[in-house]
Amino acid sequence: MLTEEFSKFWEIYDSSFPEDEKRDIQTQRKLLSNNKYKIIPYYNNGQMVGFVALWMLGDIVFLEHLAIKKEFRGRGYGTKILKDIKKKFPGKVVLEVEPPKDETTIRRIKFYKKAGFHFNEHHYVQPPLGRRKKPVPLKIMSYPKPVPKEKFDHLVRYISQLPTAPRGGGL
């Protein structure tokens, strides 16, 4: 990812997620050298409208972050991006969402359900994404099927071992 493109990505990333659900800029830059990690930007008329940041975990794609630039939200870009991701990675796709607790989180879950994702009730806590970050209770949604409990535990162990400074001891 070129420096200018990374800057545009960072602007969207940094403004789209709560502090404990995102990495610092140095760690995020370092992840770009990991061949299992990919940032896929999406454009409209030459302007970055959003991105997905994902991990290739064998037969599973862990969609860690999906964000649309504020002025482009509500225009169908998220739906188009999810459709593209499901086409590019036709196997299993999983992602994290905040538990349904208010209008925004409920609307977000409905959005993913409409795209074919299943809400898994199993307990999940996102490991800290930085040295001063806290773990975050989240839920996992999966496509094209729900994740059975016995496979869910394996998935969580896999996610918790992804290379970040606090989880994996460095990059």
Side-chain angles (χ1 to χ4, degrees):
M1 183 172 254
L2 301 171
T3 303
E4 183 181 329
E5 190 175 45
F6 183 85
S7 295
K8 291 174 184 177
F9 151 78
W10 182 258
E11 177 187 326
I12 299 168
Y13 177 86
D14 193 43
S15 66
S16 297
F17 300 98
E19 280 305 310
D20 287 327
E21 294 181 35
K22 62 185 176 185
R23 294 181 181 84
D24 63 53
I25 194 167
Q26 294 83 7
T27 304
Q28 193 64 48
R29 281 186 198 277
K30 287 179 185 177
L31 282 178
L32 295 175
S33 64
N34 188 311
N35 63 355
K36 292 182 180 182
Y37 184 74
K38 305 207 179 314
I39 296 172
I40 303 171
Y42 288 86
Y43 292 88
N44 183 32
N45 293 326
Q47 185 172 10
M48 188 183 295
V49 297
F51 70 88
V52 293
L54 54 83
W55 291 91
M56 306 298 293
L57 306 176
D59 65 339
I60 296 171
V61 172
F62 172 45
L63 201 155
E64 187 176 62
H65 291 99
L66 180 153
I68 306 298
K69 195 170 184 177
K70 197 170 191 168
E71 60 262 32
F72 293 103
R73 292 179 188 160
R75 296 187 193 177
Y77 289 108
T79 300
K80 290 175 187 172
I81 289 172
L82 284 177
K83 202 176 277 190
D84 183 59
I85 292 299
K86 292 185 302 184
K87 183 179 176 186
K88 282 181 180 170
F89 308 103
K92 197 178 297 174
V93 179
V94 298
L95 55 86
E96 302 165 321
V97 292
E98 293 173 294
K101 62 180 182 244
D102 58 31
E103 185 180 324
T104 301
T105 55
I106 291 168
R107 189 175 66 240
R108 190 171 296 127
I109 291 166
K110 284 182 182 178
F111 164 75
Y112 287 118
K113 282 183 174 182
K114 187 176 177 183
F117 285 78
H118 297 271
F119 187 84
N120 295 276
E121 291 289 347
H122 316 300
H123 176 71
Y124 172 73
V125 176
Q126 174 192 289
L129 294 181
R131 296 193 194 292
R132 293 177 186 86
K133 308 285 182 168
K134 298 177 186 134
V136 181
L138 297 173
K139 291 294 185 181
I140 296 284
M141 295 190 75
S142 55
Y143 174 86
K145 298 177 183 175
V147 179
K149 179 66 175 150
E150 62 277 4
K151 290 187 178 187
F152 188 84
D153 293 339
H154 176 75
L155 173 66
V156 169
R157 277 193 301 279
Y158 207 177
I159 291 170
S160 69
Q161 294 173 7
L162 291 174
T164 64
R167 289 194 248 173
L171 303 169

